[in-house]
Amino acid sequence: MQIKMPAKAMRLGQRYAMLSIITASLFLFTKLITTGSPQSQAISRDVIADKPPTRVFLWAVPRSVSTTLLISLSQSQDVEAWFEPYLFASQMEHFRLSGESVSLQWGLKMTLASLSVTHGYDMRDVSFTWVKQQLENYNGDKNVIVKDMVKGIAGKFNNIPNGYTHTFLIRHPLRVFVSYKQKHNTEGGMNKGLKLTEFSSCWIPSGYFFKEMYDLVHHIRDVLKLKVIIIDTDDLLENPEEMIKAYCKETGLTYSDTMLNWEPNNDIWWNWMLPKETSLKWWWRSIYYGYNPTHKTSFSQSGFGEKMDLPDDVDDDVRELAQASMKYYNELFTQRLQVASYESH
């Protein structure tokens, strides 16, 4: 039985397809005449004898400056950076398990991206097993840094790849949830105007991120018997130079002064490993808006920003989630990495 698509829908689909083709052509032409392909921009690592590549995971809660930290660490010439592969895997699993089909528009975008973007991977290939295999089988000569959200791996600890040093970025829950609510109210979307307690589990997990972080730390340290390195966002913002140096020393990454200051909007994400559809979307938004609104603050900065004061007056839903998270945050905070020159809280 054939299902006939309404004429209006067909016309809209044809228009979108044509617009996508034009966009792809402009995209390829612009990238080739200005900067070359993203792969050609990758900087080769000077292989150091007897020093195998370092592999590091950066697990984070939302609104913890994790994207800025990845930008910082990506300034090193010997890093292959991955952006939230397990979070993307959880999104694709949601589609598969729920029986939801990927929309026609998103399907066209993914097809377009797979044809036009040379660096990254096809979103349709992504699964938890695929991500683990890719990370374990990496055989390049660069150091690897994988930044991901703890929500992405929650309940899937069997997919944690072998061979990585695990680091964790925490931030005071009040700062996290004030910023998280502000982001959703500013950018709009399905959550605009909602209380945090009304967000679906697709956005805020049952443990409000901090329980998921606590459980992951416990699993890495007590079950897998691996070293854990915890850093706090406030420490990083108050003393970025010493914290980055300490982080690199603990993980084996190569420190560079360029990790403290860099050119804003330098499109460094073109060299990150992320879905091609996401790369294309970020590029288009940066052209349309003049900046990448998905991570506007991170990509518009030339370094680490200022520490945010703890708010005195917050909404009840923000306070509820923060209070429920404090016991996990406090436990992790006592285990955080500190530097000698930093004055303790």
Side-chain angles (χ1 to χ4, degrees), residues 7-48:
K8 183 177 181 180
M10 290 184 65
R11 289 195 300 271
L12 289 174
Q14 291 169 350
R15 291 174 184 174
Y16 180 83
M18 181 61 69
L19 178 61
S20 298
I21 293 171
I22 294 172
T23 300
S25 301
L26 291 172
F27 163 77
L28 286 172
F29 180 72
T30 302
K31 293 299 291 183
L32 288 174
I33 66 174
T34 56
T35 59
S37 70
Q39 287 176 319
S40 70
Q41 299 177 56
I43 305 173
S44 299
R45 176 177 185 251
D46 294 329
V47 181
I48 302 174

Side-chain angles (χ1 to χ4, degrees), residues 156-167:
K156 301 286 184 179
F157 291 166
N158 60 308
N159 289 290
I160 295 173
N162 296 314
Y164 282 77
T165 297
H166 294 271
T167 69

